[in-house]
Amino acid sequence: MTTSPKPVDATADAWHVLRNRTFDEIAIGDSASLERTFSSQDIHMFALQSGDVDPEPAVSSSARGTTEAICANALISAVLGTRLPGPGTQYVSQSLCFLGAVRPGDRLTVQMQVTSKDTATHHVTLACTCTNQTGVAVFQGQVEVVAPTERMERARTALPEIHPDAQGRTGLQHLLAHVAHLQPIRVAVAHPCDAPSLSAALEARQAGLIEPVLVGPRVRLEAVATEAGLDLTDVAIVDVPHSHAAAQQAVALAAAGEVEALMKGSLHTDELMSALVSAAAGLRTKRRVSHCFLLQTPAYPRPFIVTDAAINIAPTLEQKADIIRNAIELAQVIGVREPKVAILAAVETVSPTMTATLDAAALCKMADRGQITGGLLDGPLAFDNAVSIAAARTKGIVSEVAGQADILAVPDLESGNMLAKQLIFLGGAASAGIVLGAKVPVILTSRADSRDTRIASCAIALMLAHHYRLSPP
């Protein structure tokens, strides 16, 4: 089920590998933060660990209980062990004052800042504060540790977190920093004739990700820019009469090598995709075209991919194989050298009456036979088993993928789209959307997508385009 992966950028695994900061690299004033939402299950687990058979008084009493202490230790240890200083840190002491209760559903933010260093002992003292979602202080104090003196790294297995680096940057800021060394690519933006799509293209340009070529009616583009206060100075425009012509011309630019990616504007997805997959367009490859959502949520310790949730409505077994191949390629480009692929179904057992389970079993056997390479596949897996090691163990599932999936391969578009949208709108997931399987990446965003989603999607396309220069699809 494994193969030697394609070479990737040496820094591309930053999201999946923890690297420490040595004593000499740490400066007074350096800080790190982490957020965690505590569920009822977490609170009860802490209460059981403390020996409290009735956890409710401990989390609501004005007298702080051991539940808060365990909660504080979990958060502080996560920051020290994964961010600042990171792997190799030795705990010395801590002094905390508990000021507020922890209740189910609270989202806690712990902030730690270096206040002093001792060169002789390599001791580092950090001030720590923790607040809940309303800004109310839960605890504060200081911690003393021995910082490592040698560089260390290990696979990321930290608590779920929102801030992925010691500077407290958001997922988008981290992504932009990750691709900052890459030169922007020319992108044909098909019919960006509304403010969100036009502004996204211009903001991606300002961020150094793309050089947009706007393909659409010039009069409409200029009217939208004027109304939205956008500046089209020095922006290339290809004047075409309508959205259908915009899709055709954008694809033609890609086929001619004049642009390295396509970006959907305000036209319908079907218009752009029909032009892209046309045999006459010259952008098809041997693979099926498919869509990947790259998601990052506070409830999961690393970014992951959901596929296909936008293009293939009811994929066949052969089409599912290509969907997985495309997702593996994307995972490798963003730094997961051997992605773990969970093939989802409603149950984790093979049932002759459930096609999704039969396809999952067949796909795994295809991987065994070398027909799908580059990743570890397992399935069928129910969603809980795919993302929760505890759930998998409860059901007796022994798997290298269960609870650690990098890719969630869904049975069909409807289930995938609902899963992705639930994660985004109810689970607070940051997202990016990209289409693979063609000779150029396609930035496929929705009218409901946020500005950050559009920018992140451009950053993913940038990485893919540079990858295609070395390994053409």
Side-chain angles (χ1 to χ4, degrees), residues 20 22-24 122 147-151:
N20 65 3
T22 65
F23 180 84
D24 291 337
H122 296 137
T149 57
E150 297 181 355
R151 297 285 288 174

Short mmCIF file of all heavy atoms in Angstrom, two decimals, residues 20 22-24 122 147-151:
data_model
loop_
_atom_site.label_atom_id
_atom_site.label_comp_id
_atom_site.label_asym_id
_atom_site.label_seq_id
_atom_site.Cartn_x
_atom_site.Cartn_y
_atom_site.Cartn_z
N ASN A 20 11.52 21.89 17.62
CA ASN A 20 11.65 22.70 18.83
C ASN A 20 12.44 23.98 18.56
O ASN A 20 12.95 24.21 17.47
CB ASN A 20 12.30 21.89 19.95
CG ASN A 20 13.74 21.51 19.63
OD1 ASN A 20 14.30 21.89 18.61
ND2 ASN A 20 14.35 20.74 20.51
N THR A 22 15.61 25.86 20.38
CA THR A 22 16.63 25.64 21.40
C THR A 22 16.75 26.86 22.31
O THR A 22 16.24 27.94 21.99
CB THR A 22 17.99 25.34 20.75
OG1 THR A 22 18.42 26.51 20.04
CG2 THR A 22 17.89 24.17 19.80
N PHE A 23 17.46 26.67 23.41
CA PHE A 23 17.66 27.75 24.38
C PHE A 23 18.23 28.99 23.71
O PHE A 23 17.78 30.11 23.96
CB PHE A 23 18.57 27.27 25.51
CG PHE A 23 18.84 28.33 26.56
CD1 PHE A 23 17.94 28.53 27.60
CD2 PHE A 23 19.97 29.14 26.48
CE1 PHE A 23 18.18 29.52 28.56
CE2 PHE A 23 20.21 30.11 27.44
CZ PHE A 23 19.31 30.30 28.48
N ASP A 24 19.23 28.79 22.84
CA ASP A 24 19.87 29.93 22.19
C ASP A 24 18.94 30.65 21.22
O ASP A 24 19.12 31.83 20.94
CB ASP A 24 21.13 29.47 21.45
CG ASP A 24 22.23 29.04 22.41
OD1 ASP A 24 22.21 29.47 23.57
OD2 ASP A 24 23.09 28.24 21.98
N HIS A 122 20.11 26.89 31.65
CA HIS A 122 19.19 26.76 30.50
C HIS A 122 17.73 26.78 30.93
O HIS A 122 16.86 26.26 30.23
CB HIS A 122 19.48 25.49 29.68
CG HIS A 122 20.83 25.50 29.05
ND1 HIS A 122 21.67 24.39 29.02
CD2 HIS A 122 21.54 26.49 28.43
CE1 HIS A 122 22.79 24.69 28.41
NE2 HIS A 122 22.74 25.97 28.03
N ALA A 147 14.99 24.43 28.77
CA ALA A 147 14.85 24.43 27.32
C ALA A 147 15.88 23.49 26.71
O ALA A 147 17.00 23.36 27.20
CB ALA A 147 15.03 25.83 26.76
N PRO A 148 15.52 22.82 25.62
CA PRO A 148 16.48 21.94 24.95
C PRO A 148 17.63 22.73 24.35
O PRO A 148 17.49 23.89 23.98
CB PRO A 148 15.64 21.28 23.85
CG PRO A 148 14.52 22.23 23.60
CD PRO A 148 14.22 22.88 24.93
N THR A 149 18.78 22.09 24.26
CA THR A 149 19.96 22.73 23.67
C THR A 149 20.27 22.19 22.29
O THR A 149 21.13 22.72 21.60
CB THR A 149 21.19 22.52 24.58
OG1 THR A 149 21.39 21.11 24.78
CG2 THR A 149 20.98 23.20 25.93
N GLU A 150 19.57 21.13 21.88
CA GLU A 150 19.78 20.55 20.57
C GLU A 150 18.47 20.53 19.80
O GLU A 150 17.39 20.41 20.38
CB GLU A 150 20.33 19.12 20.69
CG GLU A 150 21.70 19.04 21.35
CD GLU A 150 22.20 17.60 21.42
OE1 GLU A 150 21.43 16.69 21.04
OE2 GLU A 150 23.34 17.41 21.86
N ARG A 151 18.58 20.65 18.47
CA ARG A 151 17.40 20.61 17.63
C ARG A 151 16.77 19.22 17.65
O ARG A 151 17.46 18.20 17.59
CB ARG A 151 17.77 20.97 16.19
CG ARG A 151 18.30 22.35 16.02
CD ARG A 151 17.21 23.40 16.11
NE ARG A 151 16.34 23.39 14.94
CZ ARG A 151 15.24 24.12 14.83
NH1 ARG A 151 14.86 24.88 15.83
NH2 ARG A 151 14.52 24.07 13.74
#
